[in-house]
């Protein structure tokens, strides 16, 4: 998909990004479709943090995908940095066309160029299609993740 443009999101992208997050079975239950103060605060924090990037995929002037990359320094793996990818979304009418693969491949290449030792992500246990997708990209289900809702 050579006509895709990957770039850091700007404030004007926020409505489209939160629409992508809510355009999903799980997202409908936990995200909203209107920009509010919480989204504004979160976007400002991501935008101000050099270790965080909110990336959008644009095609023909339309925002068609997004993901967030966080670069995490650590002592493990001989002091290597790792890349954490979250909030991967492709607009529902564009799924199944290879856009998600291209977006993830781009993000992995960014981590490689930065010198990260690994790329990690979490995916909800109910997202079996996503599990297949990530396995096909070469990810390995090597750890059991846990979360504590606060």
């Amino acid at each position: 998909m050579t006509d895709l443009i990957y770039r850091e999101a700007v404030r004007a992208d926020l409505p489209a990004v939160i629409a992508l997050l809510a355009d999903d079975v799980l997202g409908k239950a936990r995200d909203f479709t209107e920009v509010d103060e919480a989204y504004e605060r979160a976007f400002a924090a991501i935008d101000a943090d050099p270790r965080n990037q909110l990336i959008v995929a644009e095609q023909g002037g339309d925002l068609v995908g997004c993901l967030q990359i966080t670069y995490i320094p650590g002592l493990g793996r001989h002091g290597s940095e790792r890349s954490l990818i979250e909030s991967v979304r492709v607009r529902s009418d564009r799924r199944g066309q290879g856009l998600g693969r291209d977006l993830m491949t781009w993000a992995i290449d960014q981590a490689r160029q930065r010198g990260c030792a690994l790329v990690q992500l979490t995916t909800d246990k109910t997202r079996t299609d996503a599990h297949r997708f990530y396995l096909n990209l070469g990810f390995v289900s090597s750890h059991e993740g846990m979360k504590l809702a606060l």
Side-chain angles (χ1 to χ4, degrees), residues 71-92:
Y71 297 104
I72 306 168
L75 294 174
R77 297 182 185 264
H78 197 231
S80 295
E81 193 172 55
R82 63 186 64 204
S83 172
L84 173 66
I85 299 176
E86 291 288 330
S87 300
V88 179
R89 296 290 192 282
V90 171
R91 207 171 70 192
S92 58

Side-chain angles (χ1 to χ4, degrees), residues 145-150:
M146 295 184 183
K147 295 187 179 192
L148 175 63
L150 302 177

Side-chain angles (χ1 to χ4, degrees), residues 69-140:
I69 306 171
T70 303
Y71 297 104
I72 306 168
L75 294 174
R77 297 182 185 264
H78 197 231
S80 295
E81 193 172 55
R82 63 186 64 204
S83 172
L84 173 66
I85 299 176
E86 291 288 330
S87 300
V88 179
R89 296 290 192 282
V90 171
R91 207 171 70 192
S92 58
D93 65 331
R94 304 304 298 275
R95 293 180 190 145
Q97 300 173 20
L99 199 148
R101 174 175 285 281
D102 288 348
L103 180 59
M104 284 297 296
T105 299
W106 181 88
I108 293 164
D109 287 344
Q110 296 302 299
R112 188 175 286 115
Q113 289 172 20
R114 189 173 167 118
C116 292
L118 62 87
V119 175
Q120 62 189 35
L121 56 84
T122 61
T123 180
D124 192 278
K125 288 186 177 191
T126 64
R127 294 184 187 272
T128 56
D129 289 341
H131 301 166
R132 273 192 304 279
F133 171 74
Y134 294 124
L135 288 169
N136 285 332
L137 285 170
F139 284 84
V140 178

